[in-house]
Amino acid sequence: MADISKITLPSGTTYNLKDEVARRATSGAMHWLGITTTAITDGSSTTSIVIDGETITVGADDAGGVVGYDGMEFIWSGSVWQEFGSTGSLGALAFKDSADGAYTPQGSVSAPTVTLATTSIKGVTDAGSVPSLTMSVSNETLTIAFDAGSVPTLTGDTTVATGTVSSVTQPTFTGTAATITVS
């Protein structure tokens, strides 16, 4: 971003900004300082950093300064560096007009479990027979035969689900990382 050297107010008055701190303050909330070779971690309060071979010192007036270090971006809060994100995950998109991407989550999702209530019923080994009635007429004699049939033969108890849910567990996700592939 080019340095801002003057500012024109809505009233039409134009001010020349010769002070570098004032120029940075009017250039936006965040401003790129550069890639540093100084080790920076999230929460560190390192104020003397090397960018392009030159040592610079950041202070409270430099809040919003952004640096890159070891593939990560950090923002200076005015007192500590705060990790902003990775410069590598989307870096391949910087010079493309279009891109295809795939997101692969790292971790696993457990299957939910559902338990149904059960009850016991008697099983059947033989269905038995149904009653029958037969009639016949011979020489003007009516003959009626009746068979009462037989009842089913029962076995021991058999457990079956009733369809009523007795317990459920929610699925859980474990994992913290992800891979973004750009082609």
Side-chain angles (χ1 to χ4, degrees), residues 14-104:
T14 300
Y15 291 95
N16 290 322
L17 302 175
K18 297 186 183 219
D19 179 52
E20 185 175 332
V21 173
R23 284 198 308 270
R24 278 200 314 248
T26 58
S27 66
M30 295 190 322
H31 46 280
W32 179 251
L33 298 175
I35 303 291
T36 182
T37 55
T38 306
I40 294 178
T41 59
D42 189 40
S44 68
S45 58
T46 305
T47 58
S48 181
I49 60 174
V50 176
I51 295 177
D52 294 328
E54 191 176 320
T55 301
I56 66 167
T57 302
V58 292
D61 292 337
D62 297 302
V66 179
V67 299
Y69 173 72
D70 196 28
M72 299 300 290
E73 290 179 337
F74 296 89
I75 299 175
W76 178 248
S77 72
S79 60
V80 295
W81 291 103
Q82 296 174 337
E83 186 178 310
F84 186 59
S86 169
T87 60
S89 63
L90 298 176
L93 292 175
F95 301 103
K96 289 189 171 228
D97 292 330
S98 64
D100 294 316
Y103 171 75
T104 306

Side-chain angles (χ1 to χ4, degrees), residues 86-182:
S86 169
T87 60
S89 63
L90 298 176
L93 292 175
F95 301 103
K96 289 189 171 228
D97 292 330
S98 64
D100 294 316
Y103 171 75
T104 306
Q106 304 294 312
S108 62
V109 177
S110 69
T113 58
V114 177
T115 305
L116 297 176
T118 60
T119 189
S120 294
I121 61 169
K122 296 283 185 191
V124 176
T125 58
D126 177 21
S129 61
V130 295
S132 64
L133 176 67
T134 57
M135 292 185 268
S136 61
V137 176
S138 175
N139 297 327
E140 298 183 7
T141 302
L142 174 63
T143 304
I144 300 174
F146 177 74
D147 180 358
S150 63
V151 295
T153 306
L154 301 178
T155 62
D157 291 342
T158 300
T159 302
V160 295
T162 63
T164 303
V165 176
S166 62
S167 69
V168 175
T169 62
Q170 298 295 323
T172 57
F173 173 75
T174 56
T176 57
T179 300
I180 297 175
T181 305
V182 177

